[in-house]
Amino acid sequence: MARTNRIEARASRTFTLKLSASGVELFLDCHHRLCQQMSELLPYGQTLYCALLHLSRIDCVLILDDLQTLKRSGLAGPDAYFVGAPGSLVDVAARITARIGAEVPANQRPIVTGHLFVVALKRFRQAIPDELLACYHAMVAEAGEAIKIRARVQPLPGTVIQALP
């Protein structure tokens, strides 16, 4: 019983990204941009979380197109990289997958979460600075209990954070 409680209490987990050298460069570019925007040295998992939140705002047809062309993009690869992030990242991915199923019922291909991560990073690289900031604050609102955040990067009291779909 103690083991079950420990697992339930764990706020973060490790996620696997299978990337090529170009995919690693993409991840590091996204991470650098987010850290620069926030003027903070952030954990890698927060970049992945923000990228997925940003993807939740992207049109489902564009996401499916990116998933179908992922192999040709050269971003996915054979090397596994492990990123620790809040466990609620799974919920964000599930919401995106459910939205795709609802909005594009003709899609019969299963959506691999690891592939969704790479597509999220690809789209996150193109995000404008205001979108980076909005995704960061949405992540804090959604997963703030599970991440360590320095007081100076927390949203100000009374700040209204736009909910993501």
Side-chain angles (χ1 to χ4, degrees), residues 147-165:
I147 56 179
K148 295 179 182 175
I149 304 170
R150 290 170 41 115
R152 68 187 185 98
V153 296
Q154 292 179 354
L156 298 173
T159 301
V160 177
I161 300 172
Q162 180 183 2
L164 296 174

Side-chain angles (χ1 to χ4, degrees), residues 13 15 48-56 60 63 67 86-101 111-118 120 142 165:
R13 59 172 278 199
F15 295 90
L48 184 59
Y49 205 108
C50 287
L52 214 54
L53 285 173
H54 178 261
L55 189 67
S56 71
C60 291
I63 296 171
L67 286 167
S88 58
L89 183 67
V90 171
D91 299 332
V92 179
R95 286 194 309 257
I96 294 169
T97 302
R99 186 170 62 95
I100 291 170
I111 297 173
V112 177
T113 304
H115 294 171
L116 203 59
F117 292 159
V118 179
E142 187 170 312

Side-chain angles (χ1 to χ4, degrees), residues 121-133:
L121 291 166
K122 179 182 172 190
R123 290 286 172 175
F124 196 56
R125 181 192 285 184
Q126 300 166 356
I128 61 172
D130 286 347
E131 291 172 337
L132 295 178
L133 189 61

Side-chain angles (χ1 to χ4, degrees), residues 31-102:
H31 185 68
H32 178 257
R33 261 187 91 212
L34 183 62
C35 290
Q36 201 170 33
Q37 180 73 24
M38 298 309 302
S39 298
E40 188 67 46
L41 185 60
L42 302 170
Y44 289 119
Q46 291 183 15
T47 298
L48 184 59
Y49 205 108
C50 287
L52 214 54
L53 285 173
H54 178 261
L55 189 67
S56 71
R57 295 179 165 190
I58 302 296
D59 183 83
C60 291
V61 173
L62 295 174
I63 296 171
L64 284 172
D65 184 55
D66 285 347
L67 286 167
Q68 289 174 350
T69 59
L70 183 60
K71 191 171 186 178
R72 287 177 286 178
S73 74
L75 299 172
D79 297 327
Y81 297 90
F82 304 98
V83 177
S88 58
L89 183 67
V90 171
D91 299 332
V92 179
R95 286 194 309 257
I96 294 169
T97 302
R99 186 170 62 95
I100 291 170

